[in-house]
Amino acid sequence: MLFNSYVFIFAFLPTVLIGYFAISHNWGPRQAKYFLMFASLFFYGYWNPIYLLLLGSSIVVNFTVAGWMERLGEADRLLAKKRVLIAAILFNVGMLGYFKYRDFFVGSVNFVLGTEFPLLYMALPLAISFFSLQQIAFVVDSYKGLTRERNFADYVLFVSFFPQLIAGPIVHHKEVMPQFAQEDNKRFRVNNFTLGSFIFSIGLFKKVVVADSFAGWATPGFDVAETLNLVEAWITSLSYTFQLYFDFSGYSDMAIGLALMFNIVLPLNFNSPYKAASIINLWQRWHLTLTRFINLYIYRPILRSRKGFSFTWAMFATVVAMEASGIWHGAAWTFVVFGFMHGFGLVINHIWRRRKLPFPHLLGWFITFNFANLSLILFRAKDWETVGKIMSGMFGLTDIEFTVNKQLFFSDNILFRLVDKSQHDQFATALLAAVITLFILVIYHCKNSQELLEDYDGSPKYLVFQLILLIVPLMLLQQVSEFIYFQF
């Protein structure tokens, strides 16, 4: 069940929202949380009921481990407690590794050693990358005494809460579950519903109208064309750069909006990353909850493993942390290189900053945006041949032409009839260039979703704006598409 589907918007969401607050009002908040828990599990199992066994096993193991560590809290049992923590982390990483990375590892061994170990070709279980990290954070925080959960049903709700289950934000127990206990949050609040529906509408528009439109230009370049000229290659790469941002930030907006309808505030996941003027600032704005996880549970432990601060060791920790980010995103060597690319980019950025060398803001933005654009080719390409095709076109190693093939880029696009009336490809080229330029200006100058939410005052202009944001994508939902991060 997708957020961007009629069944979710007109059936599941109203049923769960009305049911949750009606049960809370008539039978009490505990029964309402049970209802929301079962609704969230239904939402997850709707994709494939067998996945519930995997999610359920993960929940049971991590909840049990957290309870063991709480009982092993005495000073003389810290060694046993630490062993339990390590076992829990290995369980989560092992489960993720088996389902997500086994074929990648076996395929790499076969390639290097010439062996023929069989591949499983398993479909990646939905949301495993996200709920695994969320539960690793929970058991580590439990070990440190930063959080605790003694009620199993509440823990199930924490992991499975449907707005953030599939693709984040990656949340901490202590920042979400106490909100369910707050008295004001147990009743329907019109203001929260209004704000939540507003930001949900923004996210829906981003996904259906913007991201899916850019997908219509990115996909032919990556997956269909055998070669690309200079302009086609840049159109392809930039289209995916915008598609990924508006797709994932759109999902995050919808998740935040949905949770707010239930009076739950989820953490911000995006803060205009394409406005960043440095690689450091890019990662301070992009996928914030993943960056937070990597910083707290990978980067800082590596840093603390060495007594005294060392800049060289900090840079080593940075590269390792970014490599972990790259591998988390996908089981392919392109993601390995993506991680190293951003790791070394951050190192260079830190060295530059440490030496206090001047750098004009606009030039910094230009370099950062194009660095991100180039790295995302690795993010999207299905193999190294595709990477070579895109990059050779972008750097003028194939045809240096300044037009696009309109049959390639508009064959499955709603603008095809308009473009097809043109006798030449120049009109299609100009149209694509205008769209790309427009969205460069949008991402650099316009307010982001959070800023629009803060400005929202319920005035008629905002209501009309929200109505447009909602109606336009609803008219286009016949072409339902999954979110990109469902693949990770």
Side-chain angles (χ1 to χ4, degrees):
M1 193 184 308
L2 295 164
F3 290 170
N4 55 323
S5 65
Y6 289 128
V7 67
F8 177 85
I9 295 172
F10 294 112
F12 179 83
L13 178 59
T15 300
V16 176
L17 199 61
I18 294 171
Y20 176 73
F21 287 110
I23 292 172
S24 181
H25 177 74
N26 292 290
W27 288 284
R30 171 56 57 186
Q31 289 73 17
K33 283 198 285 186
Y34 282 132
F35 172 78
L36 186 56
M37 177 192 73
F38 284 115
S40 296
L41 292 174
F42 172 82
F43 173 81
Y44 184 77
Y46 186 88
W47 304 86
N48 188 341
I50 198 68
Y51 288 161
L52 282 170
L53 294 176
L54 182 66
L55 177 64
S57 300
S58 175
I59 288 172
V60 169
V61 169
N62 284 282
F63 179 78
T64 303
V65 164
W68 286 348
M69 288 192 296
E70 185 178 339
R71 290 190 291 272
L72 292 170
E74 296 84 358
D76 59 341
R77 304 172 77 178
L78 285 180
L79 180 59
K81 184 178 178 181
K82 192 168 187 176
R83 287 173 177 170
V84 172
L85 171 65
I86 293 172
I89 294 174
L90 290 176
F91 167 79
N92 286 289
V93 173
M95 184 174 67
L96 183 60
Y98 180 79
F99 286 101
K100 188 170 183 176
Y101 302 105
R102 181 193 181 278
D103 280 2
F104 168 62
F105 176 75
V106 172
S108 298
V109 170
N110 287 342
F111 178 79
V112 174
L113 301 181
T115 53
E116 297 182 357
F117 295 114
L119 303 180
L120 297 181
Y121 297 106
M122 289 186 298
L124 182 67
L126 190 68
I128 189 172
S129 296
F130 287 89
F131 69 68
S132 294
L133 292 197
Q134 187 157 312
Q135 294 192 96
I136 288 173
F138 174 77
V139 294
V140 172
D141 288 352
S142 297
Y143 170 80
K144 295 178 178 179
L146 299 175
T147 190
R148 66 167 57 182
E149 180 58 79
R150 294 176 177 175
N151 185 287
F152 181 68
D154 283 356
Y155 182 72
V156 175
L157 179 59
F158 159 65
V159 177
S160 66
F161 185 42
F162 76 89
Q164 54 83 41
L165 170 62
I166 306 300
I170 302 167
V171 298
H172 289 272
H173 181 276
K174 61 185 178 182
E175 67 186 350
V176 171
M177 293 313 294
Q179 296 184 58
F180 282 101
Q182 294 176 14
E183 197 62 35
D184 286 348
N185 290 346
K186 297 175 183 178
R187 57 183 176 81
F188 180 76
R189 297 167 64 180
V190 175
N191 185 58
N192 279 351
F193 176 80
T194 303
L195 294 175
S197 61
F198 176 66
I199 196 168
F200 177 86
S201 301
I202 294 174
L204 185 66
F205 188 91
K206 282 183 179 180
K207 166 60 180 171
V208 176
V209 179
V210 183
D212 288 352
S213 294
F214 277 113
W217 295 312
T219 301
F222 275 98
D223 298 338
V224 179
E226 294 183 2
T227 61
L228 295 169
N229 64 38
L230 179 69
V231 171
E232 290 172 341
W234 278 97
I235 291 293
T236 298
S237 66
L238 289 169
S239 292
Y240 182 70
T241 292
F242 289 123
Q243 179 199 352
L244 177 65
Y245 173 72
F246 285 104
D247 188 284
F248 195 27
S249 68
Y251 179 94
S252 297
D253 286 344
M254 284 188 270
I256 290 171
L258 289 168
L260 194 55
M261 294 180 197
F262 291 88
N263 302 324
I264 303 300
V265 177
L266 294 180
L268 184 67
N269 219 15
F270 286 86
N271 186 21
S272 301
Y274 291 164
K275 291 182 181 180
S278 68
I279 310 299
I280 294 172
N281 193 226
L282 176 70
W283 282 100
Q284 292 170 336
R285 293 169 172 267
W286 177 278
H287 205 342
L288 298 178
T289 56
L290 174 63
T291 303
R292 177 178 65 176
F293 177 92
I294 291 171
N295 179 52
L296 289 176
Y297 304 106
I298 299 178
Y299 174 76
R300 289 190 184 182
I302 295 174
L303 210 58
R304 288 194 298 265
S305 66
R306 184 185 180 96
K307 293 183 179 179
F309 178 80
S310 165
F311 181 76
T312 302
W313 186 252
M315 294 303 96
F316 169 77
T318 298
V319 173
V320 173
M322 293 312 300
E323 182 52 34
S325 171
I327 293 174
W328 177 84
H329 278 97
W333 284 105
T334 50
F335 288 102
V336 173
V337 176
F338 171 85
F340 275 123
M341 184 175 176
H342 277 270
F344 285 112
L346 285 170
V347 169
I348 293 171
N349 197 168
H350 277 292
I351 293 172
W352 194 280
R353 179 178 289 186
R354 186 179 176 86
R355 294 182 178 180
K356 298 181 180 180
L357 299 173
F359 210 77
H361 179 84
L362 191 59
L363 179 59
W365 172 84
F366 179 81
I367 292 174
T368 302
F369 179 76
N370 280 284
F371 177 87
N373 181 52
L374 285 173
S375 70
L376 289 177
I377 296 171
L378 298 167
F379 209 81
R380 171 62 173 81
K382 59 185 178 181
D383 50 39
W384 288 107
E385 183 179 354
T386 304
V387 174
K389 174 183 70 177
I390 304 293
M391 289 195 173
S392 61
M394 292 174 69
F395 291 103
L397 301 179
T398 53
D399 295 329
I400 304 179
E401 296 182 15
F402 297 95
T403 58
V404 299
N405 183 336
K406 65 184 180 184
Q407 296 297 325
L408 175 66
F409 285 93
F410 286 93
S411 60
D412 294 323
N413 195 283
I414 60 175
L415 297 174
F416 174 73
R417 291 184 180 179
L418 176 65
V419 172
D420 193 48
K421 291 180 179 179
S422 172
Q423 297 299 315
H424 304 287
D425 291 337
Q426 282 85 350
F427 178 73
T429 306
L431 179 60
L432 284 172
V435 171
I436 294 291
T437 303
L438 172 64
F439 275 90
I440 288 175
L441 295 174
V442 167
I443 61 168
Y444 190 79
H445 289 289
C446 290
K447 293 183 177 181
N448 59 35
S449 304
Q450 191 63 31
E451 291 167 335
L452 290 172
L453 184 65
E454 292 170 357
D455 291 343
Y456 185 86
D457 59 6
S459 61
K461 68 175 182 180
Y462 275 100
L463 294 176
V464 171
F465 180 50
Q466 181 176 350
L467 204 59
I468 294 171
L469 290 174
L470 192 59
I471 290 176
V472 173
L474 286 177
M475 294 171 61
L476 301 174
L477 282 188
Q478 294 86 348
Q479 303 175 354
V480 174
S481 62
E482 289 188 356
F483 294 86
I484 292 174
Y485 262 75
F486 284 13
Q487 305 165 20
F488 304 143

